[in-house]
Amino acid sequence: TVLVNYKGRFLNKAVFDEGKDLQVIFGRASLIPGFETGLKELKLGEKGSVIFPSTVGYGQNGSNSIPPYTPLLFELEVTKKGK
């Protein structure tokens, strides 16, 4: 379990979502796979960016403001480890 600050962007850099102190519990399938996979590579206090294809994002259906087959960019920061 970790707390994460994140910003979700399209590849043209337009922001579609952002948040602070999102609690992530790994292995619960509550996140899109690309987000969780990228996050697992970061340690406490680290920042990083992950770009992934729609196959590990929102796929052929999209979601709300995210069109189908859209690759995504997430800027991530692990702010705290949970219990």
Side-chain angles (χ1 to χ4, degrees):
T1 302
V2 295
L3 293 182
V4 179
N5 294 339
Y6 72 94
K7 189 174 287 187
R9 298 179 181 268
F10 297 112
L11 297 188
N12 69 1
K13 305 291 185 188
V15 176
F16 64 83
D17 190 20
E18 62 185 304
K20 293 195 179 290
D21 295 327
L22 171 69
Q23 182 178 13
V24 175
I25 301 172
F26 292 109
R28 291 247 175 124
S30 59
L31 300 171
I32 54 175
F35 187 101
E36 186 169 325
T37 299
L39 189 56
K40 285 180 180 178
E41 298 300 316
L42 298 177
K43 296 180 176 115
L44 180 62
E46 286 187 328
K47 294 180 182 181
S49 296
V50 60
I51 298 173
F52 51 86
S54 64
T55 54
V56 290
Y58 291 99
Q60 65 184 5
N61 297 321
S63 175
N64 297 323
S65 64
I66 302 169
Y69 303 107
T70 302
L72 301 174
L73 162 70
F74 278 92
E75 298 167 357
L76 305 170
E77 177 185 15
V78 179
T79 59
K80 186 175 181 182
K81 284 204 171 203
K83 296 178 182 179

